């Protein structure tokens, strides 16, 4: 019997300066690689705007955890630096994978178990780590010199401040009123939601626009700059209690803390009272914590404002009955969409998958639909690939023209920006062309086991969530109905979708009726 390796794909881009298309390009290239090697893709993990110099990557950690469950045999990355740029972390996590009988492979760096490959892999990891750390060191050096002059080191200044011509912080009086209100209300016992509602009613907005949330509020309450202390790198150095240390003289890796380095908006006494109240409130919130399991995590969105929905637990009525929902993260004042009961929606999605995909008849029909798409795609393959090749040639010619201008001494910021744009465009086109290939039709026998797997898996588990989310593009909740958009391309294409719609009233009636029957 042919043993087809099961593969988990891992993709990552490291900053907001890169785009999510980078992940799409990596996944396309890895998918092509798997098809060429006749490997079966069973899971995909992706971290957006996460650095490989740290292992604080949610999807990466989930992948490492899942490797112990026998879900896959191989972890595939586009390049080794997508896995880690830290040699210590790389060794630790590769050892964990090896212990779980999972091997790490790269599309662009073909490695085996030979001594030469082991040496080359170490060289590549060392170069990636050197690049990352050297760049970080040079950037940090410049930022420290700027901070020692009490100048803002980049990004938006904190709410309550603007910047003068030399990038020193100056008070924005309108925003400073909001800062004083936040600290005074919290000090007087107001809850976070009451403070947020007040800020929005008064027309205050965060520095980057939008609306206030709990995270932005707590970030403000923890910022000592509002007392007139200029702080840089404050989260880098912690003492034994996990609190930031304060040192007047600085060395690499330590914080910069300069008294009276910026204008004060609140008093130090008020700031200290707020910190004590925050610690007291933190100790009293344990009783409200919940370990609810949400099947649609990461896949569910608000149809009114487009934001991702998040799991939410609240306790209603005198009996404090627990209610778990998917709720829009935008404040109710600005988004009128209602929360959707988690247990009902999860159960309905499972029911839809069972009815529409995981029966022998429906699965066979889905495979036939994919094969019809394969036939149409292959018929246009030569035309599409030729078109992309011509686009690459046009972009390359434009880049050549820019280099000719530069060689003649014509250097402007517009030319530099255009060259960067063209380089990015050419890279995307080359990746797209590289990932193109004639598609092979699917055989039902290779997928027939999915129905039995679906039935046998325990529903409230990470394994089941990972499994079913491969067949869900997204779920969108509207005020009066819900849309479940199925991905029925089976890894061959992401263009085959099907939308299932149900009214909210019908969804609730369906499961309320079942509860009454029981």
């Amino acid at each position: 019997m042919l043993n087809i390796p099961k593969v988990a794909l891992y993709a990552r881009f490291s900053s907001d300066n890169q785009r999510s298309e980078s992940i799409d390009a990596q996944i396309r290239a890895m998918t092509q690689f798997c098809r060429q090697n006749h490997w079966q893709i069973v899971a995909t993990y992706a971290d957006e705007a996460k650095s490989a110099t740290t292992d604080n990557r949610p999807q990466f950690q989930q992948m490492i955890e899942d490797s112990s469950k026998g879900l896959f045999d191989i972890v595939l990355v586009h390049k080794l630096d997508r896995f880690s740029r830290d040699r210590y972390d790389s060794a630790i996590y590769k050892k964990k994978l090896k212990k779980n009988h999972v091997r790490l492979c790269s599309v662009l760096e073909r490695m085996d178990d030979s001594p030469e490959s082991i040496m080359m892999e170490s060289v590549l990891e060392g170069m990636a780590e050197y690049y990352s750390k050297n760049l970080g060191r040079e950037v940090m050096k410049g930022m420290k010199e700027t901070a020692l002059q009490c100048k803002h080191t980049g990004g938006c200044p904190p709410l309550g401040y603007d910047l003068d011509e030399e990038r020193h912080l100056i008070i924005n009086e309108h925003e400073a009123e909001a800062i004083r209100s936040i600290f005074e209300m919290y000090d007087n016992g107001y809850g976070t939601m009451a403070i947020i509602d007040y800020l929005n009613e008064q027309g205050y907005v965060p520095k980057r626009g939008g609306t206030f949330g709990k995270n932005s509020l707590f970030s403000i309450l923890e910022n000592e700059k509002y007392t007139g202390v200029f702080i840089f790198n404050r989260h880098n150095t912690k003492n034994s209690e996990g609190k930031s240390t304060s040192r007047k003289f600085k060395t690499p890796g330590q914080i910069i803390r300069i008294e009276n380095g910026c204008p004060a908006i609140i008093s130090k006494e008020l700031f200290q009272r707020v910190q004590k109240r925050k610690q007291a409130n933190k100790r009293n919130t344990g009783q409200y914590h919940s370990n609810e399991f949400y099947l649609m995590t990461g896949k569910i969105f608000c149809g009114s404002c487009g934001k991702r929905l998040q799991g939410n637990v609240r306790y209603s009525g005198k009996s404090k009955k627990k209610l778990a929902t998917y709720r829009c993260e935008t404040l109710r004042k600005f988004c009128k969409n209602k929360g959707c009961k988690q247990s009902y929606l999860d159960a309905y999605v499972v029911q839809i998958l069972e009815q529409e995909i995981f029966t022998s008849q429906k699965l066979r029909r889905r495979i036939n639909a994919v094969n019809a798409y394969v036939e149409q795609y292959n018929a246009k393959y030569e035309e599409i690939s030729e078109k992309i090749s011509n686009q690459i040639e046009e972009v390359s010619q434009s880049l050549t023209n820019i280099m000719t201008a530069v060689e003649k001494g014509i250097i402007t910021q517009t030319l530099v920006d255009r060259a960067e744009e063209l380089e990015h465009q050419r890279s995307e086109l080359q990746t797209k062309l590289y990932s193109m290939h004639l598609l092979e039709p699917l055989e039902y026998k290779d997928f027939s086991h999915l129905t039995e797997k679906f039935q046998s898996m325990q529903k409230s588990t990470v394994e089941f969530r990972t499994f079913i989310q491969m067949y869900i593009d997204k779920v969108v909740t509207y005020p009066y109905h819900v849309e479940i958009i199925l991905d029925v391309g089976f890894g061959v294409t992401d263009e085959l979708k099907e939308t299932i719609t149900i009214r909210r009233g019908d969804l609730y009636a369906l499961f309320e009726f079942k509860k009454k029957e029981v």
Side-chain angles (χ1 to χ4, degrees):
M1 181 178 177
L2 182 62
N3 184 21
I4 300 176
K6 293 179 291 185
V7 181
L9 308 182
Y10 178 70
R12 174 189 64 80
F13 71 86
S14 58
S15 74
D16 293 320
N17 295 325
Q18 294 175 278
R19 292 162 44 180
S20 58
E21 286 87 341
S22 170
I23 282 183
D24 295 334
Q26 292 172 48
I27 291 176
R28 281 196 297 270
M30 290 188 286
T31 301
Q32 161 71 1
F33 185 80
C34 288
R35 290 196 186 109
Q36 291 175 341
N37 289 276
H38 304 290
W39 291 352
Q40 178 188 1
I41 299 172
V42 297
T44 299
Y45 305 86
D47 283 306
E48 298 184 359
K50 298 289 183 180
S51 170
T53 59
T54 173
D55 60 358
N56 185 21
R57 292 172 272 158
Q59 286 282 286
F60 180 84
Q61 291 296 340
Q62 186 64 62
M63 176 186 69
I64 296 298
E65 180 183 338
D66 290 349
S67 71
S68 65
K69 300 169 184 176
L71 302 178
F72 43 83
D73 311 305
I74 295 170
V75 167
L76 182 65
V77 293
H78 188 233
K79 290 180 66 179
L80 288 175
D81 65 1
R82 300 298 89 186
F83 185 77
S84 178
R85 280 182 173 171
D86 184 285
R87 284 175 295 171
Y88 177 77
D89 282 347
S90 180
I92 291 293
Y93 288 108
K94 281 195 289 187
K95 184 177 180 180
K96 287 186 178 181
L97 292 179
K98 187 174 182 180
K99 180 182 178 182
N100 296 330
H101 307 290
V102 175
R103 61 190 177 100
L104 176 65
C105 292
S106 164
V107 172
L108 298 182
E109 296 122 346
R110 308 296 172 86
M111 299 294 178
D112 51 35
D113 293 328
S114 66
E116 292 80 7
S117 288
I118 293 172
M119 179 179 292
M120 180 57 67
E121 185 175 354
S122 297
V123 170
L124 290 171
E125 288 176 352
M127 289 174 63
E129 184 174 4
Y130 168 78
Y131 167 80
S132 179
K133 291 188 175 180
N134 185 59
L135 178 62
R137 180 176 59 189
E138 294 304 313
V139 169
M140 181 61 73
K141 186 193 302 180
M143 292 175 71
K144 280 185 176 181
E145 289 303 315
T146 301
L148 285 169
Q149 301 173 48
C150 295
K151 294 181 179 180
H152 190 61
T153 54
C156 286
L159 184 73
Y161 293 106
D162 289 329
L163 301 177
D164 64 16
E165 294 181 356
E166 295 183 350
R167 298 189 63 78
H168 290 110
L169 295 174
I170 56 175
I171 292 179
N172 177 318
E173 193 52 46
H174 174 70
E175 293 178 356
E177 290 175 1
I179 297 300
R180 295 185 189 105
S181 297
I182 290 170
F183 277 90
E184 289 168 2
M185 290 180 71
Y186 196 89
D187 184 44
N188 289 323
Y190 284 88
T192 54
M193 291 310 300
I195 298 174
I196 288 169
D197 288 342
Y198 171 80
L199 294 172
N200 293 320
E201 287 169 3
Q202 296 299 313
Y204 295 115
V205 295
K207 206 70 172 181
R208 296 180 183 273
T211 59
F212 284 95
K214 287 186 177 180
N215 288 340
S216 57
L217 194 65
F218 279 116
S219 177
I220 289 169
L221 291 171
E222 293 173 355
N223 194 341
E224 199 178 357
K225 277 183 180 175
Y226 294 123
T227 67
V229 180
F230 187 91
I231 297 178
F232 170 73
N233 208 26
R234 69 188 177 101
H235 294 298
N236 195 48
T237 304
K238 307 284 184 179
N239 62 17
S240 60
E241 297 177 348
K243 299 177 182 178
S244 298
T245 60
S246 304
R247 293 176 184 238
K248 185 176 180 181
F249 299 101
K250 296 74 189 178
T251 57
Q254 294 179 320
I255 64 170
I256 290 174
R257 188 176 186 278
I258 302 174
E259 291 284 350
N260 302 316
C262 58
I265 294 177
I266 63 169
S267 68
K268 292 183 182 297
E269 292 76 18
L270 175 58
F271 183 82
Q272 291 303 324
R273 289 200 305 272
V274 164
Q275 304 317 303
K276 289 180 180 179
R277 182 175 290 277
K278 280 175 75 276
Q279 288 300 318
N281 288 345
K282 188 182 296 184
R283 289 192 293 269
N284 293 331
T285 56
Q287 58 182 316
Y288 297 106
H289 288 177
S290 169
N291 291 319
E292 293 298 317
F293 186 83
Y294 298 89
L295 270 181
M296 295 299 102
T297 294
K299 289 284 187 177
I300 186 165
F301 298 85
C302 176
S304 296
C305 68
K307 292 286 185 70
R308 193 186 302 272
L309 300 193
Q310 58 187 7
N312 176 263
V313 173
R314 60 187 176 87
Y315 297 84
S316 61
K318 293 182 179 179
S319 62
K320 296 297 180 183
K321 182 179 178 181
K322 185 169 71 172
L323 179 64
T325 62
Y326 291 103
R327 193 179 72 173
C328 183
E329 62 184 22
T330 304
L331 287 175
R332 277 170 284 183
K333 181 178 178 180
F334 299 93
C335 179
K336 302 301 183 182
N337 206 355
K338 299 172 287 187
C340 190
K341 194 166 183 179
Q342 167 257 337
S343 59
Y344 291 178
L345 184 57
D346 285 357
Y348 183 67
V349 170
V350 172
Q351 179 179 304
I352 287 297
L353 289 172
E354 183 174 20
Q355 293 174 354
E356 299 298 328
I357 298 179
F358 297 112
T359 67
S360 299
Q361 183 180 6
K362 287 293 178 72
L363 185 60
R364 194 180 295 275
R365 188 179 300 172
R366 300 292 183 190
I367 297 298
N368 290 339
V370 173
N371 287 339
Y373 171 85
V374 168
E375 185 176 351
Q376 294 175 1
Y377 177 86
N378 287 346
K380 297 180 180 179
Y381 174 80
E382 293 296 337
E383 177 187 344
I384 296 172
S385 59
E386 183 178 355
K387 182 179 178 180
I388 295 175
S389 296
N390 291 336
Q391 290 174 330
I392 292 173
E393 288 182 9
E394 290 174 5
V395 172
S396 297
Q397 183 58 52
S398 297
L399 279 168
T400 300
N401 293 340
I402 290 176
M403 292 306 300
T404 301
V406 170
E407 289 171 358
K408 291 180 180 180
I410 305 172
I411 303 177
T412 65
Q413 187 60 45
T414 302
L415 274 180
V416 172
D417 292 342
R418 179 58 178 161
E420 290 180 354
E421 181 184 338
L422 289 170
E423 283 285 6
H424 180 73
Q425 187 178 343
R426 182 168 65 176
S427 176
E428 285 190 334
L429 288 168
Q430 288 173 335
T431 301
K432 187 175 182 180
L433 184 63
Y434 173 80
S435 63
M436 282 187 63
H437 61 96
L438 288 171
L439 302 178
E440 295 182 6
L442 305 180
E443 293 189 24
Y444 173 75
K445 65 180 182 179
D446 293 331
F447 296 87
S448 59
H449 68 283
L450 293 178
T451 56
E452 181 181 347
K453 183 175 182 179
F454 176 84
Q455 296 293 342
S456 63
M457 293 183 78
Q458 186 178 343
K459 298 302 183 277
S460 296
T461 61
V462 173
E463 294 93 333
F464 183 70
R465 179 169 62 196
T466 301
F467 173 72
I468 67 167
Q469 287 196 358
M470 290 191 291
Y471 305 97
I472 299 170
D473 180 57
K474 60 182 176 180
V475 176
V476 186
T477 68
Y478 295 88
Y480 299 104
H481 72 280
V482 178
E483 292 181 355
I484 296 109
I485 303 170
L486 303 179
D487 182 347
V488 287
F490 290 87
V492 173
T493 176
D494 57 3
E495 295 184 14
L496 294 180
K497 303 283 194 302
E498 181 173 330
T499 301
I500 309 293
T501 302
I502 185 171
R503 291 179 63 253
R504 278 184 181 252
D506 293 339
L507 172 64
Y508 278 69
L510 177 65
F511 290 97
E512 288 291 348
F513 179 74
K514 288 183 178 180
K515 282 177 67 177
K516 289 177 182 178
E517 279 190 332
V518 174

